[in-house]
Amino acid sequence: MSAETSAAVPGQFTRRRLQFRAWRGRRPFWAGLYVMLGGFPIMYFPYAHIKFGQLTVAMATTAGAGSLIIGVLLVVLGLTLWFQQHVRVFAGVAAILLALVSLPVSNFGGFIIGFLLSLFGGAMAVAWSPDKSAGRADDDGAPEDGGSGTAHGAQESNDLSGTIPANGANGRHSAG
């Protein structure tokens, strides 16, 4: 590659990767993934037959239907977090409650694996908040640039209290 070679146009893979990164950034992606991954062991273990050499261990219990319902609901809540992010608090609280219910119902919450994944995913969903600065614009319609300056090149102050010496105030506020 020489100095005269222009930068290559991004290929299909790079463009799709950047689109996915932008899509993932606008929603509680990891919370939804953890909730979905937590639902699978809760669904699987009550119906599984695990083999240890010649020994077959059947995990089937009378609560198998409850485990299936809890697991399916967790997967649906994970998908809801991805595609309907405005109900993230409801979906997160529901995932936490279903994870707690899975402890006595489905083999200790899918042998603690599904319980922990669903619990962490639900907590992440409740704690997630959308980026408020994305898409915001100043009064003149230009996107915000983090306070790097005004149109005339002068630096703006981040002090909103009105007590900087340039404003003629010394920290005392008048009551009238």
Side-chain angles (χ1 to χ4, degrees), residues 79-132:
L79 289 171
T80 301
L81 286 170
W82 280 1
F83 297 109
Q84 300 291 327
Q85 60 268 19
H86 58 277
V87 293
R88 65 178 170 77
V89 174
F90 168 76
V93 170
I96 291 170
L97 291 175
L98 285 171
L100 290 171
V101 168
S102 75
L103 280 173
V105 171
S106 71
N107 297 327
F108 296 111
F111 295 120
I112 306 295
I113 298 167
F115 165 72
L116 288 176
L117 286 171
S118 299
L119 193 69
F120 289 146
M124 288 171 64
V126 171
W128 184 83
S129 64
D131 187 15
K132 299 289 186 197

Side-chain angles (χ1 to χ4, degrees), residues 44-173:
Y44 176 74
F45 286 130
Y47 295 103
H49 297 288
I50 301 172
K51 289 189 157 237
F52 294 111
Q54 298 295 329
L55 178 66
T56 300
V57 178
M59 298 293 172
T61 63
T62 57
S67 299
L68 184 64
I69 290 170
I70 290 171
V72 168
L73 284 174
L74 284 171
V75 171
V76 169
L77 285 172
L79 289 171
T80 301
L81 286 170
W82 280 1
F83 297 109
Q84 300 291 327
Q85 60 268 19
H86 58 277
V87 293
R88 65 178 170 77
V89 174
F90 168 76
V93 170
I96 291 170
L97 291 175
L98 285 171
L100 290 171
V101 168
S102 75
L103 280 173
V105 171
S106 71
N107 297 327
F108 296 111
F111 295 120
I112 306 295
I113 298 167
F115 165 72
L116 288 176
L117 286 171
S118 299
L119 193 69
F120 289 146
M124 288 171 64
V126 171
W128 184 83
S129 64
D131 187 15
K132 299 289 186 197
S133 65
R136 253 181 34 193
D138 284 336
D139 294 334
D140 61 351
E144 286 187 342
D145 58 353
S148 63
T150 62
H152 304 291
Q155 292 292 328
E156 289 183 2
S157 173
N158 289 333
D159 183 19
L160 301 178
S161 66
T163 59
I164 58 174
N167 293 341
N170 62 359
R172 296 184 205 133
H173 298 283

Side-chain angles (χ1 to χ4, degrees), residues 14-27 29:
T14 303
R15 190 168 46 85
R16 294 289 181 190
R17 184 180 57 81
L18 293 175
Q19 285 175 345
F20 176 69
R21 179 183 287 175
W23 178 83
R24 188 184 70 199
R26 291 188 303 266
R27 61 200 74 245
F29 176 79

